[in-house]
Amino acid sequence: MARPIERSMGPEALRAATGRDHEGWRALLLDAGAQAWPHARIARWLVEAHGVDGWWAQGIAVDFEQAHQGRLPGQQADGTFTAARTRTMPGDRLEALDRVRAEVEARHGAPHGENLAASMPVVRWRLADGTRLAIAAQPPNRSGTPVNVTIERLPSADAMEPAREAIAAILDAAAG
């Protein structure tokens, strides 16, 4: 099961980047009436009214929604769910991406889109069940290139674990 964003976004890092921890942002948002706001409005307000970087604003908004609006871990603003895993692969970005791409193509056919020139090269598929799968290569580190596989638009929280298992099988096969 996905874990709450608070466990992924540590209070020290949040405070260092934004000046407040989880409880501080939650209290401020409650005082502002954000419990009735949609995700985009919360994130926009954090950026415009408090100068929070967009990436942090998204995380703060999700944390607030999980704490005060009933949003479940892994649930997106549209109500669907997302599952993801990352594995470090040998090679540069495009080599690592190609290893995982070959495994996804063997299971799901040709992708519907790609952007290999992006700062984080990505390849995308629309799957027959209505979900979407994406693979993206992060900047390389000393061990290789982290490649993230994400399945989006899952219909329920119960669909997340089978999706994570499918992702693990793809990454295991690509790792050899």
Side-chain angles (χ1 to χ4, degrees):
M1 187 67 168
R3 58 188 184 179
I5 197 164
E6 181 178 21
R7 290 187 45 208
S8 301
M9 190 171 63
E12 296 83 18
L14 181 61
R15 188 178 303 105
T18 68
R20 288 185 173 83
D21 62 10
H22 298 279
E23 290 303 322
W25 283 114
R26 289 175 191 157
L28 185 70
L29 285 161
L30 282 171
D31 288 346
Q35 194 161 4
W37 298 353
H39 176 85
R41 182 172 176 195
I42 295 169
R44 187 173 50 252
W45 183 79
L46 290 165
V47 171
E48 293 172 357
H50 293 279
V52 176
D53 173 79
W55 187 88
W56 287 101
Q58 292 295 322
I60 294 165
V62 171
D63 175 68
F64 178 79
E65 292 163 345
Q66 288 177 352
H68 295 288
Q69 292 181 339
R71 183 172 178 170
L72 299 172
Q75 188 175 32
Q76 304 306 297
D78 67 359
T80 64
F81 291 81
T82 296
R85 287 186 176 226
T86 301
R87 171 106 26 105
T88 300
M89 298 286 170
D92 69 23
R93 283 177 143 181
L94 295 182
E95 292 169 339
L97 191 68
D98 280 344
R99 291 174 67 103
V100 178
R101 179 185 187 144
E103 291 301 325
V104 176
E105 285 182 346
R107 291 165 169 78
H108 300 291
H112 80 271
E114 64 181 41
N115 184 349
L116 302 180
S119 60
M120 192 167 4
V122 63
V123 183
R124 296 181 177 90
W125 286 260
R126 289 184 183 111
L127 304 183
D129 64 0
T131 61
R132 294 190 178 191
L133 187 149
I135 56 174
Q138 299 175 16
N141 58 41
R142 288 190 287 211
S143 304
T145 300
V147 178
N148 177 269
V149 180
T150 304
I151 299 177
E152 301 175 321
R153 297 190 177 179
L154 295 165
S156 68
D158 291 339
M160 290 173 62
E161 191 55 34
R164 286 179 50 82
E165 290 170 3
I167 292 168
I170 289 166
L171 291 170
D172 288 347

